[in-house]
C-alpha cells in the first residue's frame, strides 16, 4: 500500500471536463427543513462552517436540522491552502452575545448534540478560548442534556488557552490534523503536524471525561502508507475518533485535488484503523469532521 494513489476517473474526457467520479454524485435532498434551518441561523445572525467553507453536505445536514456553528466571526487569521473561509489579519472583535445566540439556535433546532467550530484568532490574547468556553456554558444553560463538541484551532500551542476550553468538559474535543506529515507545510498555514499531535495528546492526558477526535482529508497527493502512518500517530496518543474524507477544492484559489479516493480505499483505511485499536473510525468520500455528528454517551 505504499504506492501513490492514482484513483482519478478512468475516462480522460471526464477528467478534462472536470466531472466527479460516480461515487461523488448524490441526489439533492428535499424538504422544508432546509429552509427552516437556514432561517433560524439567519435570525440569530450566526455563521456556519457549512456556508463559509462551502461544505458539500450542507443541504443534507440542513434537511436534518443540523448545522455546525462557526464562532468568533467569519474571518480567519490564517490562510490555509485547503480552506475557503475569508482571511484577515485584523478580524472584527468577537460579539459578546454570540454564545447566547448560538444557545437559542440549538434550542430552536431541537439539537441533541451541538457542534461548534471556530476561525483561528491569533490576534486575541487567548486565541478565542474564553469565548468558546462561554459558548459551552450558554448552550448547557439553555439546553440541559445537550452534548457539545468543540472543533478548535491549535491556539498556537498555548496550553493555558487549551485548558480554558477543556475545563468546560465538552463531550468531544476535536482538533484536526488535516493531512499527512509530508503535506502539512503546504496544506496548512502556521499550524504544524507535531503541534497538532501535542494539542491532542495534551487533551487526552487531561484525564477529563472528554473524547478526543481528529481528522484528515485525502486526495491531496498523499500515499496510502502515509495515511496509515497518520492513523498510527493519532492512535499512539490515544485519539478516540478519527475521520477521513475526500478533499474537494472549494475555489480556484485553493489547492488542486490530486486524487479521487475510491470508497473501497476509504473502507481499507477504516478497517486498518480498527485493526490497530482505534475505537471509532469514520471514513468515506463525504465524511467531514462534523458531518452527521452525534454523540453516543
Amino acid at each position: 500500500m505504499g504506492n501513490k494513489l492514482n484513483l482519478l476517473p478512468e475516462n480522460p474526457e471526464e477528467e478534462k471536463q472536470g466531472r466527479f467520479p460516480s461515487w461523488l454524485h448524490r441526489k439533492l435532498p428535499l424538504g422544508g427543513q432546509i429552509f427552516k434551518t437556514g432561517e433560524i441561523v439567519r435570525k440569530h445572525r450566526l455563521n456556519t462552517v457549512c456556508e463559509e467553507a462551502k461544505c458539500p453536505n450542507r443541504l443534507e445536514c440542513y434537511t436534518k436540522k443540523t448545522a455546525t456553528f462557526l464562532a468568533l466571526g467569519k474571518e480567519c487569521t490564517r490562510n490555509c491552502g485547503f480552506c475557503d473561509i475569508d482571511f484577515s489579519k485584523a478580524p472584527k472583535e468577537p460579539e459578546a452575545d454570540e454564545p447566547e445566540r448560538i444557545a437559542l439556535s440549538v434550542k430552536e433546532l431541537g439539537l441533541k448534540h451541538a457542534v461548534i467550530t471556530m476561525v483561528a484568532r491569533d490576534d486575541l490574547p487567548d486565541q478565542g478560548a474564553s469565548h468558546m468556553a462561554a459558548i459551552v456554558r450558554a448552550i448547557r444553560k439553555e439546553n440541559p442534556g445537550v452534548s457539545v463538541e468543540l472543533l478548535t484551532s491549535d491556539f498556537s500551542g498555548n496550553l493555558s488557552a487549551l485548558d480554558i476550553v477543556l475545563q468546560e468538559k465538552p463531550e468531544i474535543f476535536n482538533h484536526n490534523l488535516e493531512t499527512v506529515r509530508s503535506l502539512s507545510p503546504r496544506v496548512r498555514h502556521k499550524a504544524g503536524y507535531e503541534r497538532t499531535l501535542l494539542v491532542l495528546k495534551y487533551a487526552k492526558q487531561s484525564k477529563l471525561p472528554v473524547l478526543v477526535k481528529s481528522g484528515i482529508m485525502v486526495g491531496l497527493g498523499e500515499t496510502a502508507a502515509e495515511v496509515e502512518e497518520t492513523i498510527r500517530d493519532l492512535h499512539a496518543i490515544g485519539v478516540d475518533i478519527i475521520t477521513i474524507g475526500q478533499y474537494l477544492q472549494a475555489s480556484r484559489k485553493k489547492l488542486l485535488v490530486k486524487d479521487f479516493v475510491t470508497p473501497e480505499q476509504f473502507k481499507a483505511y477504516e478497517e486498518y484503523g480498527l485493526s490497530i485499536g482505534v475505537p471509532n473510525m469514520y471514513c468515506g468520500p463525504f465524511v467531514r469532521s462534523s458531518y452527521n455528528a452525534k454523540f453516543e454517551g
Side-chain angles (χ1 to χ4, degrees):
M1 298 186 68
N3 294 327
K4 183 177 180 297
L5 296 175
N6 184 21
L7 300 171
L8 290 169
E10 293 181 2
N11 186 340
E13 290 305 313
E14 286 194 356
E15 183 182 340
K16 289 177 183 177
Q17 295 172 31
R19 294 179 182 175
F20 291 134
S22 60
W23 59 85
L24 287 176
H25 288 269
R26 296 189 302 182
K27 291 182 179 180
L28 289 175
L30 300 175
Q33 293 296 349
I34 294 175
F35 305 105
K36 190 172 293 185
T37 300
E39 286 174 4
I40 291 171
V41 169
R42 286 190 294 273
K43 182 177 76 172
H44 291 290
R45 298 181 289 109
L46 295 173
N47 302 306
T48 66
V49 74
C50 323
E51 300 284 350
E52 301 305 324
K54 298 182 176 65
C55 179
N57 301 312
R58 180 174 66 252
L59 295 181
E60 181 183 349
C61 291
Y62 275 19
T63 301
K64 298 176 181 178
K65 291 172 52 175
T66 300
T68 298
F69 299 101
L70 180 64
L72 290 156
K74 57 180 182 180
E75 296 175 317
C76 186
T77 53
R78 301 182 189 178
N79 192 19
C80 296
F82 68 93
C83 183
D84 204 41
I85 292 176
D86 292 339
F87 166 72
S88 175
K89 292 182 179 180
K92 296 177 182 177
E93 285 296 311
E95 296 178 345
D97 65 341
E98 184 180 56
E100 287 70 31
R101 300 199 320 266
I102 289 177
L104 289 172
S105 291
V106 169
K107 187 174 186 177
E108 289 186 38
L109 287 167
L111 301 184
K112 295 181 180 180
H113 181 67
V115 185
I116 318 297
T117 188
M118 62 180 287
V119 291
R121 290 300 302 260
D122 300 325
D123 59 312
L124 300 175
D126 70 352
Q127 313 277 305
S130 58
H131 191 82
M132 295 295 282
I135 291 172
V136 178
R137 292 193 295 271
I139 290 173
R140 287 180 171 156
K141 181 179 179 181
E142 192 67 40
N143 305 273
V146 169
S147 56
V148 179
E149 177 174 342
L150 293 184
L151 171 52
T152 76
S153 75
D154 61 6
F155 300 114
S156 295
N158 183 339
L159 298 182
S160 295
L162 183 57
D163 278 332
I164 293 172
V165 167
L166 292 175
Q167 288 305 315
E168 296 302 325
K169 300 176 184 178
E171 279 72 15
I172 299 178
F173 172 78
N174 188 348
H175 174 52
N176 283 331
L177 194 53
E178 305 295 6
T179 189
V180 300
R181 187 188 304 271
S182 67
L183 297 180
S184 192
R186 184 165 64 91
V187 172
R188 310 172 78 188
H189 176 238
K190 188 174 180 179
Y193 191 92
E194 292 299 334
R195 190 161 74 188
T196 289
L197 292 179
L198 172 65
V199 167
L200 293 167
K201 183 177 181 179
Y202 185 83
K204 186 63 183 178
Q205 293 181 343
S206 68
K207 303 301 182 183
L208 295 169
V210 175
L211 291 174
V212 178
K213 179 178 178 181
S214 190
I216 66 169
M217 306 166 289
V218 290
L220 285 159
E222 71 290 326
T223 66
E226 287 179 308
V227 174
E228 291 182 354
E229 177 189 35
T230 302
I231 295 171
R232 290 195 299 273
D233 287 344
L234 291 171
H235 176 54
I237 57 175
V239 170
D240 301 288
I241 306 168
I242 297 176
T243 61
I244 302 178
Q246 172 70 50
Y247 168 69
L248 296 174
Q249 187 179 0
S251 74
R252 293 188 178 187
K253 296 180 181 179
K254 297 304 172 180
L255 294 169
L256 295 174
V257 176
K258 296 294 182 67
D259 306 292
F260 288 114
V261 179
T262 64
E264 292 77 16
Q265 183 63 67
F266 278 111
K267 184 65 176 176
Y269 289 146
E270 181 176 303
E271 291 176 348
Y272 177 75
L274 294 173
S275 74
I276 65 171
V278 178
N280 302 280
M281 292 288 303
Y282 298 98
C283 307
F286 288 103
V287 169
R288 296 295 180 269
S289 190
S290 56
Y291 172 51
N292 270 353
K294 64 179 180 178
F295 175 64
E296 306 282 349

